[in-house]
């Protein structure tokens, strides 16, 4: 797709974001919140932040410039990539940039809970977002409605895909102040109808965090905890290539637990040391390689030529 790749720091749950004051219908199973993060809170990834600013934020903020260059607001963004690499955090940061509410919907959860009513639930989701406009609607696990899952437990039929297409078209054509960002770990399972112009036609590969982002994530997770003087976080980040943001958070929690255990045994507190991480690095391996092994075959034999050029370029660069 030619768009930049990247990731974002781990999205901390329970961040205490204030609610927007609009109750979400029972179909949505969530609430609209006011994001407290922006793209400046995303560690590293300058290319991805620059692309998002150019493709989304700037045109929305400057309608005169948009009209001058004939830029359309049609279409949403589809993020894809390995799990745990910060797609939700990135969407939340984009909502913060747009000064919009943030509504996260787990489509697979909606499907499981309301099988048989899913088409109506999709409409209710968009109605909730419209009532809270401006609002960024984040559709997680978009592949839950993918055609490759036909006949499986999560397949919810052509009618729901058609409903989602109609809602996406309405949101973009009528400029209702609803900005749609979707995410999936399996873009090859997403119905092609959803990726046509005016729908989710912008695609963004969200990769494991780069060196700068990994150090930022580690620092954020360890913030406020006692650290040994010999703990070089930059050097530690350099040893965590291919780790997702979630992997890094788990690694930090493991090191903190080891330091706590040692403190309890010795009956004297000690800070988190490099040795605590060394043990964790042997026990906690990066979770992203299996995804890339699977994705390599889909990218190589994609039915739509050029669909995964960004992924192919990344894999080629990694040898």
């Amino acid at each position: 797709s030619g768009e930049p790749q990247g990731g974002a720091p781990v999205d901390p749950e329970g961040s205490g974001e204030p609610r927007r004051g609009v109750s979400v219908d029972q179909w949505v199973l969530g609430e609209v919140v006011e994001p407290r993060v922006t793209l400046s809170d995303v560690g590293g990834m300058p290319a991805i932040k620059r692309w998002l600013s150019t493709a989304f934020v700037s045109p929305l903020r400057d309608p005169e410039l948009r009209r001058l260059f004939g830029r359309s607001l049609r279409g949403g963004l589809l993020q894809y990539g390995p799990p745990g690499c910060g797609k939700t955090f990135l969407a939340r940061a984009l909502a913060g940039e747009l000064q919009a509410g943030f509504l996260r919907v787990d489509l697979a959860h909606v499907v499981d809970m309301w099988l048989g009513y899913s088409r109506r639930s999709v409409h209710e989701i968009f109605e909730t977002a419209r009532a809270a406009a401006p609002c960024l609607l984040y559709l997680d696990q978009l592949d839950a409605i993918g055609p490759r899952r036909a006949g499986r437990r999560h397949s919810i039929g052509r009618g729901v895909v058609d409903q989602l297409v109609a809602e996406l078209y309405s949101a973009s054509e009528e400029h209702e102040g609803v900005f749609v960002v979707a995410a999936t770990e399996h873009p090859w399972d997403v119905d092609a109808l959803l990726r046509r112009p005016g729908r989710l036609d912008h695609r963004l590969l969200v990769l494991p965090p780069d060196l700068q982002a990994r150090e930022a994530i580690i620092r954020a997770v360890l913030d406020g905890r006692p650290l040994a003087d010999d703990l070089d976080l930059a050097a530690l980040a350099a040893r965590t290539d291919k780790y997702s943001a979630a992997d890094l958070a788990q690694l930090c929690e493991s090191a903190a637990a080891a330091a706590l255990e040692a403190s309890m045994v010795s009956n004297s507190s000690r800070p988190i040391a490099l040795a605590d991480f060394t043990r964790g690095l042997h026990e906690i391996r990066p979770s992203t390689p299996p995804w890339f092994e699977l994705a390599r075959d889909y990218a190589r034999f994609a039915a739509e030529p050029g669909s995964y050029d960004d992924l192919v370029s990344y894999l080629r660069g990694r040898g």
Side-chain angles (χ1 to χ4, degrees):
S1 64
E3 287 143 6
Q5 310 125 14
V10 67
D11 177 24
E13 294 296 334
S15 57
E17 292 171 335
R19 296 167 182 171
R20 197 170 179 83
V22 177
S23 297
V24 179
D25 191 89
Q26 61 175 339
W27 305 98
V28 177
L29 310 174
E31 289 187 328
V32 181
V33 298
E34 294 281 1
R36 288 180 173 173
V37 295
T38 64
L39 292 177
S40 63
D41 296 299
V42 178
M45 312 303 171
I48 193 172
K49 290 186 285 189
R50 184 167 54 251
W51 183 83
L52 285 171
S53 294
T54 302
F56 284 85
V57 179
S58 295
L60 288 169
R61 285 180 175 171
D62 194 335
E64 289 296 328
L65 191 63
R66 184 176 68 246
R67 282 192 289 270
L68 179 63
F69 286 93
R71 292 295 304 275
S72 171
L73 293 181
R74 293 178 57 193
L77 172 67
L78 175 61
Q79 301 179 90
Y80 79 99
C85 289
K87 291 184 281 290
T88 300
F89 187 94
L90 194 58
R92 198 186 300 270
L94 185 56
E97 288 288 335
L98 295 172
Q99 298 181 337
F102 180 78
L103 174 59
R104 177 181 179 177
V105 177
D106 185 331
L107 283 180
H109 192 72
V110 171
V111 171
D112 283 343
M113 291 287 292
W114 305 105
L115 188 62
Y117 298 92
S118 299
R119 183 163 186 165
R120 175 183 166 187
S121 73
V122 169
H123 178 69
E124 294 294 331
I125 286 166
F126 277 81
E127 285 294 291
T128 300
R130 291 180 187 107
C135 179
L136 188 145
L137 176 56
Y138 180 59
L139 304 175
D140 204 1
Q141 299 190 53
L142 187 69
D143 54 284
I145 63 172
R148 294 179 63 88
R149 295 182 182 266
R152 301 187 192 177
R153 185 167 62 93
H154 287 300
S155 179
I156 56 179
R158 187 95 241 142
V160 176
V161 174
D162 292 341
Q163 183 68 39
L164 186 52
V165 166
E167 299 292 348
L168 288 169
Y169 218 63
S170 173
S172 62
E173 284 292 313
E174 298 175 20
H175 308 307
E176 298 174 317
V178 176
F179 317 111
V180 182
V181 176
T184 179
E185 296 167 17
H186 309 287
W188 38 84
D189 282 345
V190 174
D191 196 302
L193 283 174
L194 298 173
R195 294 184 269 114
R196 291 181 180 174
R199 299 161 195 177
L200 296 170
D201 49 0
H202 302 285
R203 188 180 300 185
L204 185 65
L205 173 61
V206 181
L207 293 167
D210 59 18
L211 177 60
Q212 182 184 352
R214 293 199 302 273
E215 183 178 351
I217 293 166
I218 292 171
R219 289 188 183 279
V221 177
L222 294 177
D223 185 42
R225 308 189 195 195
L227 305 179
D229 293 336
D230 68 341
L231 183 55
D232 186 341
L233 298 186
L236 177 62
R239 298 174 61 183
T240 56
D241 186 39
K242 299 180 183 178
Y243 279 67
S244 71
D247 295 336
L248 293 170
Q250 183 184 4
L251 181 64
C252 292
E253 294 299 337
S254 173
L260 174 60
E261 181 181 349
S263 298
M264 294 176 66
V265 169
S266 65
N267 200 29
S268 62
S269 64
R270 76 159 174 83
I272 303 171
L274 180 60
D276 300 316
F277 278 98
T278 300
R279 186 175 75 174
L281 285 167
H282 288 291
E283 297 175 352
I284 301 170
R285 306 305 302 161
S287 63
T288 63
W291 185 89
F292 284 107
E293 288 299 315
L294 176 66
R296 187 187 304 273
D297 291 335
Y298 278 106
R300 186 182 303 165
F301 302 110
E304 303 168 62
S307 296
Y308 303 107
D309 285 350
D310 44 5
L311 177 57
V312 170
S313 297
Y314 175 78
L315 293 171
R316 188 179 297 123
R318 305 283 291 192

